[in-house]
Amino acid sequence: MTEPRKRDSAASKEALLDAARDLFAERGYDRTTVRDIARRAGVNQALLFRYFGSKEALFAAVVARSGRDQLARAPRELLVARMLRGLLDKDSHGDRAVQIMLRSSGEDSVAKEIHGQLGQDYIRALSALTGEPNAELRAHLVLAWIVGIDIVRSVAGSDPLAGADSDDVIACVLPAVRTLLEQVRDIPSETDA
Amino acid sequence: MTEPRKRDSAASKEALLDAARDLFAERGYDRTTVRDIARRAGVNQALLFRYFGSKEALFAAVVARSGRDQLARAPRELLVARMLRGLLDKDSHGDRAVQIMLRSSGEDSVAKEIHGQLGQDYIRALSALTGEPNAELRAHLVLAWIVGIDIVRSVAGSDPLAGADSDDVIACVLPAVRTLLEQVRDIPSETDA
DNA sequence: TCACGTTGTAAGCGCATGCTTACAACTTCG
DNA sequence: CGAAGTTGTAAGCATGCGCTTACAACGTGA
């Protein structure tokens, strides 16, 4: 760094949040180091600790930010389709909150609490998509599927699911999801508008 | 260790494989340390490296052993139900190969290859459960769901899915899975026999 | 202008990880 | 019986991790 960075704490914080969001989503919590995050953000790693206090607190901030945005933006019955397209469409900056959150296979109770809170928001939203008595269980199962799709795609990078046309995946998944949450809908395509 | 262990390399290897199987399934690859494995196996960690060469090679051995057992044992149409019950029923020593395999969110190409091979065996088995042209895609989606269920259960440890009665989960999941793989069946209960 | 608070940096701490080394004790075979 | 190979062990290496410390430079307000 021959040129010292201009001082702008808000920009530094934003850069760290963006970098962390992307890296946590790509690699999961454990395999994302604070050095990686700082490097991608273009800041010194000490700033991460100054502004967020710890790696874990940064994680919580990322999850909270990502999830809040999506839940505010999506009509409920489109939520599943948005989450799926968010992970299937490479360019899309769709909903990554769920995979970011659950991709960290942390077992500690603090992380669990963090996940739990936002998770509850998603579960509440999904539970409202069915009139069945075991709505919460169904919501969890649907959430689990979305998470699983993300993980299987990344691990088995060269098979049909990784390279799948998102419409093909949606065509398989949504009818199945509807056996659980009957109000789920796909996003209207442009030609429908 | 006041009493030196009796020399038995086969028993030591077996103990390491069992310990690793359990810990990888519980914690995932990254959060399982070689010291943890050795401790649970009741051996010195140097033996792990002597007998398996590396943590990664041990992982490969565990995955290969677990998966092979299950695929040999299960009639195809019961495979999904067995995998689900394997993770839902706490006492069961059911099929953990898939979650062990995919729970490690490793991105390196060696791990990917390892996963890929056994994964292909599962995919082949699952693909044969439908006559649809995109059978492989469907198989991957089902596998993804199983993985996702395991992960969501462990992360969100106190909600309906974690404490769920396995019959309730199966009752929700199997009909949905059948929209993808029509030949899937549940395990006959004892009273049916 | 100057003092103080804020922001950015490089270096390093303490600890944990996968793995290695050196040694002792045992077991087997000629 | 003794040599060689095998098995088990404790200790430690090299590296990387989250996090801290100390300093410099800047920006703001009195």
Side-chain angles (χ1 to χ4, degrees):
Chain A
M1 267 300 183
T2 47
E3 184 107 356
R5 286 186 69 246
K6 183 163 171 91
R7 292 155 63 118
D8 184 346
S9 66
S12 296
K13 284 182 203 160
E14 197 76 13
L16 283 166
L17 283 165
D18 289 345
R21 178 200 63 208
D22 294 341
L23 287 165
F24 286 142
E26 285 164 32
R27 303 181 188 173
Y29 181 79
D30 286 332
R31 292 200 173 213
T32 299
T33 68
V34 294
R35 286 167 175 84
D36 291 336
I37 294 167
R39 195 177 302 118
R40 187 172 288 197
V43 304
N44 186 285
Q45 74 181 80
L47 292 193
L48 186 152
F49 295 97
R50 181 173 296 149
Y51 293 135
F52 297 98
S54 67
K55 183 186 178 185
E56 193 158 297
L58 173 61
F59 176 77
V62 167
V63 169
R65 190 179 71 151
S66 303
R68 201 184 319 129
D69 290 350
Q70 282 301 322
L71 281 174
R73 204 184 294 149
R76 240 181 216 155
E77 58 281 357
L78 302 188
L79 189 54
V80 172
R82 288 186 66 94
M83 286 195 276
L84 279 172
R85 289 194 189 275
L87 72 94
L88 292 164
D89 293 333
K90 275 274 157 76
D91 308 335
S92 105
H93 279 271
D95 189 357
R96 297 172 123 196
V98 171
Q99 55 265 45
I100 291 171
M101 180 169 62
L102 297 178
R103 192 113 178 237
S104 75
S105 39
E107 303 272 356
D108 49 284
S109 60
V110 177
K112 199 173 288 186
E113 243 169 71
I114 290 161
H115 305 170
Q117 184 48 52
L118 182 65
Q120 288 309 311
D121 292 342
Y122 271 89
I123 296 297
R124 208 173 294 119
L126 292 174
S127 297
L129 294 173
T130 182
E132 293 289 331
N134 57 356
E136 269 211 25
L137 177 61
R138 288 160 181 260
H140 276 85
L141 290 167
V142 170
L143 204 47
W145 203 355
I146 289 157
V147 172
I149 289 167
D150 184 45
I151 289 169
V152 171
R153 283 180 78 242
S154 66
V155 170
S158 61
D159 66 287
L161 194 44
D165 178 75
S166 55
D167 289 330
D168 291 343
V169 175
I170 302 272
C172 290
V173 175
L174 274 217
V177 168
R178 275 200 216 95
T179 68
L180 295 173
L181 305 176
E182 67 273 357
Q183 295 168 33
V184 167
R185 293 291 172 266
D186 194 9
I187 303 168
S189 62
E190 314 282 303
T191 58
D192 289 5
Chain B
M1 266 302 187
T2 47
E3 182 105 359
R5 286 185 72 246
K6 181 162 173 91
R7 291 156 65 118
D8 184 348
S9 65
S12 296
K13 284 181 204 161
E14 197 74 14
L16 283 166
L17 283 167
D18 289 345
R21 179 200 61 209
D22 294 342
L23 286 166
F24 285 140
E26 285 164 32
R27 302 182 188 168
Y29 182 79
D30 285 332
R31 291 197 172 215
T32 300
T33 68
V34 294
R35 286 169 174 82
D36 290 337
I37 295 167
R39 194 176 304 119
R40 186 172 286 197
V43 305
N44 186 284
Q45 76 181 79
L47 292 192
L48 186 152
F49 294 97
R50 181 175 294 149
Y51 293 136
F52 297 100
S54 65
K55 181 185 178 184
E56 192 158 297
L58 173 61
F59 176 77
V62 165
V63 169
R65 189 177 75 148
S66 303
R68 201 187 319 128
D69 289 350
Q70 281 302 323
L71 281 173
R73 202 185 295 147
R76 246 186 212 148
E77 57 283 356
L78 302 187
L79 189 54
V80 172
R82 290 185 65 93
M83 287 196 275
L84 278 171
R85 289 191 187 276
L87 72 96
L88 292 164
D89 293 333
K90 275 271 156 82
D91 308 337
S92 107
H93 280 272
D95 189 357
R96 297 172 125 202
V98 170
Q99 56 265 47
I100 291 169
M101 181 169 63
L102 296 179
R103 192 116 176 236
S104 76
S105 39
E107 303 273 356
D108 49 285
S109 58
V110 178
K112 200 174 289 187
E113 241 168 74
I114 290 161
H115 306 170
Q117 184 48 55
L118 182 64
Q120 289 307 312
D121 292 342
Y122 271 90
I123 296 295
R124 209 174 293 118
L126 293 174
S127 300
L129 294 173
T130 182
E132 294 289 332
N134 57 355
E136 271 210 23
L137 176 60
R138 288 159 180 261
H140 276 85
L141 289 167
V142 170
L143 204 47
W145 203 355
I146 290 157
V147 171
I149 289 167
D150 182 47
I151 288 171
V152 171
R153 283 181 78 242
S154 66
V155 169
S158 62
D159 65 287
L161 194 44
D165 179 75
S166 56
D167 290 330
D168 289 344
V169 176
I170 302 272
C172 289
V173 176
L174 274 218
V177 168
R178 276 201 216 93
T179 69
L180 294 174
L181 306 175
E182 67 273 358
Q183 294 170 33
V184 167
R185 294 291 173 267
D186 194 8
I187 303 169
S189 63
E190 312 282 302
T191 59
D192 288 6

